[in-house]
Amino acid sequence: MTALALPTGVDLHLYILGTLLAGAGVTVVCTAGALVLSVAAAALLAGLQSFGGVAARVCVFAYVEFFRAIPVLALLFILYFGLATIGLKMSPMPAAILGLGLNGAAYCTEIFRAGILAVPSGQSEAARAIGMRRWQVMRWIVLPQAVRIVLPALTNLAINILKNTSVASAVAAPEIMFLARNLVNETYLSPQIYLSVCLVYLLISVPMMKLAGWLETRVGVTAAKR
Amino acid sequence: MPAEPAPDRLAAPGAGTREIVRNEKLRKSFGDLEVLKGVDLVVEQGEKVVLIGRSGSGKTTILRCINYLERPSAGAIFVNGARIGRVGADGAERDMTDAEIAAARVEIGMVFQRFNLFPHLSVLENVTIGPMRVRGTPRAEAEAMGRDLLRKVGLEDKAGAYPERLSGGQQQRVAIARSLAMQPRLMLFDEPTSSLDPELVGEVLRVMRRLAKEGMTMMIVTHEMAFAEEVADRVIFIDGGVIVEQGPPGDLLRRPRSPQLQLFLQSVLERR
């Protein structure tokens, strides 16, 4: 980009906001991709934890401890630069989604485990007593109750992933923070630009929280007050 | 008291007889604590057996072993002539699979002290989920049967309500209907009235009394001595993980022989 043709006055602010909003699209895609990957992988891992043997449980434990312990940025560098050295070259976006997803899955597995454990044991005993098999107990009795329990924690996870997408700027994914830094380099208006960054993140996260709140009441309503 | 089982009768006994439950030398330990120390017990079809004893004596554990919610440490349990939990001939014995145990449990209804209704399901759904998901009964048929059962326990008007809206007594009656929906041959009641307010005990006992009259085989852990005396064919007193005394309620409750039972009945009377 060049600073030669920079607009001035109101146009400059609109230019800043417009550029950041373009980055918002990338941020949203990155968040959505990482969240879907997190939840899907965590469902698989939590399933292994509940139904797998000792070896499976140890593997899940190791996964969760490892990916919770390392910084997302380090993970992203390993995926983007590290894998490239052995010939596995990834584009910035897939690398970011994969890194955030692997990290999110570790947290999400813990959320699912806590949700499953929070359903009283009397529930599965009653279900087993009417002849349900273990997977049926999970499918019809435990999971429907666990979903309600984990929704607030899942909302937190989603918001955290959204904010963590800013690390993708380190591998040149054109998301909000990457574009913001470019803008600062062009205009030297760092206070305005980073305040605008906050505004754009708010524009994404507030609707997300609203959506989550709506989901929580909806699931609660169908479960208890229909 | 029924005849003592012959010690060599470990292959599926009771086929063709009226025996519903047979416990042979049942033992259960939790860690270092041995809760059941060799319980031999036979319950015949249509019999109402009430288990009494101090808390921690092992009476609940006996019920939980019978439907294999607890895995016995030793001994054998037969329900309706078939061994539960372990299968195969001597030497080639193995634990039942999840599916095999689940299939065996269908014959055994269980009512819990804390009701354990499914809070995310309506009253009717609590009753129909077993038939629909376990037996594969079509919804319409399951719901018709569910409504019949709710009528039987006096709650047909609560079909659409959720458990949290019901009193403890109503919840327990739904729990009984939920068990009956599986058409069990045996019903286990684990202190079904212990967590109820006193004024709600009667409605649950009424349902149980009716079930008894209809000929259901019942094993009941309870502290309701008057109910035991009225309904039970046999009362079994458990203490320290063994059967100390058993017999018709009139004999046992009025003329206890063992000092432990005398002490226990005294403490129950004092509590009233």
Side-chain angles (χ1 to χ4, degrees):
Chain A
M1 252 182 259
T2 164
L4 289 178
L6 264 186
T8 52
V10 176
D11 285 349
L12 175 63
H13 292 290
L14 287 177
Y15 170 68
I16 290 172
L17 208 57
T19 309
L20 292 179
L21 283 175
V26 175
T27 294
V28 167
V29 169
C30 193
T31 304
L35 186 61
V36 168
L37 184 61
S38 296
V39 171
L44 188 73
L45 290 169
L48 280 175
Q49 214 165 30
S50 296
F51 293 105
V54 177
R57 285 205 295 275
V58 168
C59 289
V60 173
F61 176 80
Y63 177 93
V64 169
E65 292 303 308
F66 178 76
F67 281 100
R68 280 201 306 186
I70 58 170
V72 183
L73 189 59
L75 178 59
L76 191 49
F77 281 174
I78 292 168
L79 290 174
Y80 187 70
F81 298 116
L83 291 185
T85 61
I86 57 165
L88 276 171
K89 183 114 184 65
M90 257 193 268
S91 304
M93 276 291 277
I97 289 174
L98 186 60
L100 288 164
L102 289 174
N103 176 263
Y107 286 97
C108 197
T109 302
E110 285 296 280
I111 291 172
F112 285 173
R113 189 176 69 95
I116 288 168
L117 286 178
V119 177
S121 62
Q123 289 290 307
S124 16
E125 287 191 349
R128 279 152 67 205
I130 54 173
M132 283 196 188
R133 299 174 57 175
R134 284 173 69 197
W135 70 266
Q136 290 176 312
V137 174
M138 208 36 119
R139 166 68 186 83
W140 299 109
I141 306 302
V142 175
L143 287 183
Q145 295 183 58
V147 163
R148 275 197 285 167
I149 297 168
V150 304
L151 266 182
L154 276 185
T155 309
N156 280 341
L157 178 75
I159 302 282
N160 268 328
I161 289 178
L162 166 68
K163 292 184 292 187
N164 277 340
T165 52
S166 58
V167 302
S169 63
V171 293
E175 49 70 62
I176 298 171
M177 282 302 284
F178 179 77
L179 297 180
R181 246 182 299 178
N182 283 350
L183 282 171
V184 171
N185 289 340
E186 280 180 90
T187 65
Y188 304 106
L189 295 170
S190 35
Q192 287 101 313
I193 289 168
Y194 287 122
L195 276 174
S196 303
V197 164
C198 293
L199 181 71
V200 173
Y201 274 110
L202 271 174
L203 284 176
I204 305 171
S205 59
V206 169
M208 265 172 76
M209 288 188 264
K210 285 273 172 224
L211 176 71
W214 175 79
L215 265 178
E216 275 170 44
T217 48
R218 220 191 101 77
V219 173
V221 165
T222 46
K225 297 183 196 72
R226 186 166 53 189
Chain B
M1 183 184 164
E4 284 291 318
D8 59 343
R9 246 181 108 190
L10 283 170
T17 72
R18 283 159 37 84
E19 219 173 78
I20 296 286
V21 179
R22 170 179 289 269
N23 289 352
E24 287 175 354
K25 301 191 170 43
L26 178 63
R27 285 174 175 275
K28 174 66 188 175
S29 302
F30 296 98
D32 290 337
L33 180 71
E34 191 170 38
V35 177
L36 297 180
K37 298 172 181 167
V39 172
D40 290 304
L41 172 64
V42 172
V43 178
E44 298 192 341
Q45 190 176 348
E47 203 181 5
K48 286 84 184 133
V49 174
V50 167
L51 305 171
I52 59 171
R54 291 179 300 143
S55 63
S57 59
K59 48 198 195 309
T60 290
T61 307
I62 294 178
L63 294 195
R64 292 173 58 85
C65 284
I66 288 173
N67 75 350
Y68 224 69
L69 285 180
E70 299 293 351
R71 186 181 193 279
S73 311
I77 298 171
F78 300 87
V79 176
N80 210 17
R83 175 115 188 239
I84 187 163
R86 304 273 297 166
V87 283
D90 285 347
E93 255 188 36
R94 61 165 177 85
D95 280 336
M96 276 183 162
T97 61
D98 174 46
E100 288 167 336
I101 292 173
R105 284 199 187 107
V106 169
E107 305 235 299
I108 312 167
M110 178 140 185
V111 174
F112 299 85
Q113 183 177 350
R114 301 285 326 177
F115 332 132
N116 297 347
L117 290 186
F118 307 130
H120 59 300
L121 301 178
S122 72
V123 162
L124 184 61
E125 287 166 338
N126 263 276
V127 179
T128 56
I129 191 164
M132 284 172 61
R133 301 300 169 201
V134 176
R135 285 199 190 275
T137 309
R139 177 181 294 275
E141 196 181 314
E143 287 188 348
M145 181 178 67
R147 286 182 197 281
D148 276 349
L149 285 168
L150 288 176
R151 196 169 307 124
K152 187 171 174 174
V153 299
L155 289 169
E156 66 269 46
D157 56 326
K158 298 287 183 194
Y162 280 81
E164 63 175 7
R165 297 291 166 93
L166 304 185
S167 73
Q170 291 172 329
Q171 289 194 42
Q172 194 60 299
R173 285 187 280 153
V174 174
I176 293 173
R178 175 177 68 183
S179 289
L180 291 177
M182 297 308 292
Q183 299 168 316
R185 315 252 327 222
L186 163 72
M187 285 284 284
L188 309 174
F189 292 86
D190 181 16
E191 304 202 27
T193 58
S194 292
S195 49
L196 294 177
D197 291 336
E199 76 271 20
L200 302 176
V201 169
E203 61 188 73
V204 172
L205 293 185
R206 247 192 316 279
V207 169
M208 290 171 65
R209 210 174 276 130
R210 179 167 167 190
L211 208 54
K213 281 211 182 78
E214 288 172 1
M216 176 63 78
T217 311
M218 297 162 81
M219 292 182 76
I220 307 163
V221 171
T222 186
H223 296 295
E224 299 289 333
M225 293 302 156
F227 176 76
E229 193 158 3
E230 177 197 338
V231 168
D233 298 311
R234 180 159 46 119
V235 175
I236 298 178
F237 173 63
I238 318 265
D239 196 53
V242 293
I243 294 178
V244 175
E245 221 173 300
Q246 58 180 317
D251 291 355
L252 198 92
L253 301 177
R254 304 237 176 261
R255 290 178 290 281
R257 282 168 305 190
S258 61
Q260 297 105 300
L261 180 53
Q262 287 165 8
L263 208 66
F264 173 73
L265 291 175
Q266 213 172 347
S267 68
V268 170
L269 282 176
E270 275 165 13
R271 207 173 38 192
R272 275 198 194 155

